[in-house]
Amino acid sequence: MSRTPLLFGLPALCFALITWQVVAGGPLVSLDERLSGSLVHPSRFSELLADLGSVQVAVPVLALALLLVALRNRATGLDRWWLPPAAAAVLMALVPAVIVPLKELVSRPGPPVMGPGTGFYPSGHTATAVVAYGAATLLLLPLLRTAGARGALLCVCAALNAGVAFGLVRRGYHWPLDVVASWCLCAVLLSSLWLFVSRSTRRSSARTPSLRTGPS
């Protein structure tokens, strides 16, 4: 439990700080705009990377992972086998409910290549990618038997999210701070999922009787 304040407090504090800077037009915004100007170089490759954070790509990946986890949990006789996949699905559904009001509230204009318009903060594509790929990774990790396999899965998840972030900034779809703010916000969401799944799994394991009939 000692890690709980870090899991929630640090990313939440960073998100609050970035949001304050964006709303107030603080020094971070000026730095953000200069950084974006040096990074933006639209290309087909950056557009494809950004598309990895779209609902059409990320959500089906999550859905497939949740189906695999549900089938595996049910096959092993886990009590309330449906709960972790259901929790991840609910979290994914909550993403637009959290992101869209924030976009409307902050009303940040986008980079120059996006033309007029507001609603770019925080990045919805980033949030979709982090929650979809992150939730899939959290639920699949316990099913992998070797440290190498778990490390490979974590690397794939990190690479996908890094690719989405790079594509969004490089293509000019979002300012860098839009992406970083979504990372911070989604770190809180994924930490909530991890704590919920961990506790529910421990309770289910405690209620599941042992299959051994002889003395231990």
Side-chain angles (χ1 to χ4, degrees):
M1 296 298 295
S2 60
R3 295 182 181 179
T4 301
L6 288 177
L7 288 173
F8 292 95
L10 186 58
L13 179 62
C14 290
F15 177 76
L17 174 62
I18 295 171
T19 302
W20 165 58
Q21 284 289 290
V22 170
V23 171
L28 278 181
V29 173
S30 298
L31 178 62
D32 188 40
E33 292 175 352
R34 290 197 298 271
L35 180 61
S36 176
S38 65
L39 292 176
V40 172
H41 186 74
S43 66
R44 179 57 178 165
F45 179 65
S46 61
E47 187 173 341
L48 290 174
L49 287 177
D51 286 344
L52 293 175
S54 66
V55 171
Q56 294 84 354
V57 176
V59 172
V61 172
L62 175 61
L64 178 60
L66 298 188
L67 177 61
L68 292 175
V69 171
L71 293 175
R72 176 65 180 274
N73 288 349
R74 184 177 183 183
T76 56
L78 183 67
D79 188 26
R80 295 201 295 182
W81 54 269
W82 48 269
L83 189 56
V90 169
L91 185 65
M92 188 74 252
L94 285 176
V95 168
V98 173
I99 296 296
V100 172
L102 286 171
K103 285 178 174 289
E104 295 292 331
L105 182 64
V106 177
S107 296
R108 187 185 191 188
V113 298
M114 296 302 294
T118 59
F120 287 83
Y121 179 94
S123 167
H125 272 59
T126 302
T128 299
V130 172
V131 172
Y133 301 135
T137 299
L138 285 177
L139 268 62
L140 287 172
L141 278 176
L143 306 185
L144 302 178
R145 297 183 178 181
T146 66
R150 291 189 291 271
L153 179 60
L154 288 172
C155 288
V156 169
C157 178
L160 285 171
N161 281 288
V164 170
F166 176 82
L168 291 171
V169 174
R170 187 72 167 174
R171 176 60 178 78
Y173 287 147
H174 279 286
W175 306 102
L177 280 183
D178 300 345
V179 173
V180 175
S182 279
W183 279 348
C184 295
L185 181 60
C186 291
V188 177
L189 298 179
L190 287 179
S191 296
S192 302
L193 176 64
W194 179 75
L195 288 175
F196 176 79
V197 170
S198 297
R199 291 174 179 175
S200 64
T201 301
R202 285 197 297 268
R203 287 195 297 266
S204 297
S205 299
R207 285 194 298 268
T208 302
S210 174
L211 296 178
R212 292 178 297 182
T213 57
S216 58

